[in-house]
């Protein structure tokens, strides 16, 4: 009875080892890209080259702030030499604790930090973290690729963890049964 159980577990471990190896090899490029870009994204607030430091505005009172139209217009004037237009604005991020708004463009990963009260341009810089994020999540190729690749990566890593645990636990179980 114990020999049959040991034989069944051994066969299972050998089978898991084979598909664990091939699954790991096929996912390795995605895992490496995701890991490296994830490390960069984790440090983006600490290195100015990845994401420009957030400046500080004149007033933190939102009642004193200018409208989104005025902020966008001021940002567009500041990046005039880059040839960006209003349709290139991806989003405007407000920072109430800093008194500024970040106008982020979808072309070239540029951002303009505008004082929300005076409309003074505090910074115009590239946001390398944006294109790194697009590589990280696969959206640099397309939104469909992003959804498919993130599901494959997530499910694949889950399967590698489960099979890896069995590859670790199975031989221990065999040794215990043999005692």
């Amino acid at each position: 009875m114990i020999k049959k159980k040991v034989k069944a577990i051994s066969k299972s471990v050998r089978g898991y080892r084979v598909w664990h190896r091939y699954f790991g090899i096929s996912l390795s490029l995605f895992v490496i890209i995701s890991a490296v870009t994830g490390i960069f994204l984790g440090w983006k607030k600490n290195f100015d080259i990845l994401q420009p430091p957030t400046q500080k505005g004149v007033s933190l009172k939102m009642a004193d702030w200018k409208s989104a139209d005025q902020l966008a217009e001021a940002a567009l004037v500041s990046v005039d030499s880059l040839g960006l237009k209003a349709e290139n604005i991806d989003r405007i991020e407000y920072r109430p604790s800093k008194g500024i708004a970040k106008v982020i463009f979808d072309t070239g990963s540029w951002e303009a930090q505008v004082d929300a009260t005076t409309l003074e341009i505090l910074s115009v810089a590239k946001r390398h973290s944006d294109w790194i994020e697009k590589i990280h999540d696969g959206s640099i190729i397309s939104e469909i690729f992003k959804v498919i690749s993130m599901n494959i990566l997530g499910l694949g890593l889950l399967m590698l963890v489960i099979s890896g645990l069995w590859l670790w636990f199975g031989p221990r179980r065999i040794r215990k049964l043999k005692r």
Side-chain angles (χ1 to χ4, degrees):
M1 180 72 167
I2 291 176
K3 280 188 175 187
K4 281 185 180 180
K5 216 172 196 179
V6 167
K7 198 171 189 172
I9 293 172
S10 296
K11 187 176 179 181
S12 171
V13 167
R14 281 192 295 277
Y16 268 81
R17 189 175 293 127
V18 169
W19 82 250
H20 181 87
R21 180 182 314 125
Y22 289 116
F23 229 94
I25 289 169
S26 57
L27 284 177
S28 64
L29 181 63
F30 288 112
V31 171
I32 290 168
I33 290 170
S34 188
V36 170
T37 56
I39 290 168
F40 283 131
L41 291 172
W43 285 94
K44 71 181 178 185
K45 299 278 187 189
N46 300 87
F47 291 101
D48 297 350
I49 194 163
L50 294 174
Q51 186 170 310
T54 303
Q55 305 298 316
K56 194 152 177 93
V58 173
S59 174
L60 301 182
K61 291 196 303 188
M62 292 170 88
D64 298 339
W65 289 10
K66 304 293 184 191
S67 70
D69 287 348
Q70 291 170 308
L71 291 166
E73 187 58 40
L76 284 167
V77 168
S78 73
V79 295
D80 189 43
S81 64
L82 299 173
L84 299 171
K85 303 198 179 340
E87 55 267 12
N88 297 121
I89 293 176
D90 181 40
R91 62 191 182 274
I92 299 175
E93 296 179 357
Y94 289 93
R95 299 288 190 259
S97 64
K98 300 283 188 174
I100 65 146
K102 292 183 177 186
V103 180
I104 300 167
F105 297 89
D106 62 3
T107 305
S109 299
W110 287 95
E111 91 170 9
Q113 294 184 34
V114 184
D115 185 305
T117 306
T118 66
L119 297 179
E120 177 189 352
I121 302 302
L122 303 172
S123 167
V124 174
K126 262 194 169 296
R127 291 173 55 101
H128 294 286
S129 61
D130 286 356
W131 63 264
I132 292 171
E133 185 176 345
K134 287 180 180 182
I135 292 172
H136 179 73
D137 68 10
S139 63
I140 197 162
I141 295 173
S142 72
E143 285 300 312
I144 302 269
F145 181 80
K146 172 186 171 178
V147 171
I148 292 169
S149 68
M150 288 298 105
N151 279 297
I152 289 171
L153 186 60
L155 291 170
L157 288 174
L158 187 62
M159 294 306 222
L160 284 173
V161 167
I162 291 168
S163 64
L165 286 172
W166 179 242
L167 291 174
W168 177 81
F169 182 71
R172 281 160 181 71
R173 179 110 189 253
I174 291 170
R175 281 193 292 271
K176 186 178 177 183
L177 286 171
K178 284 183 174 179
R179 279 191 218 135

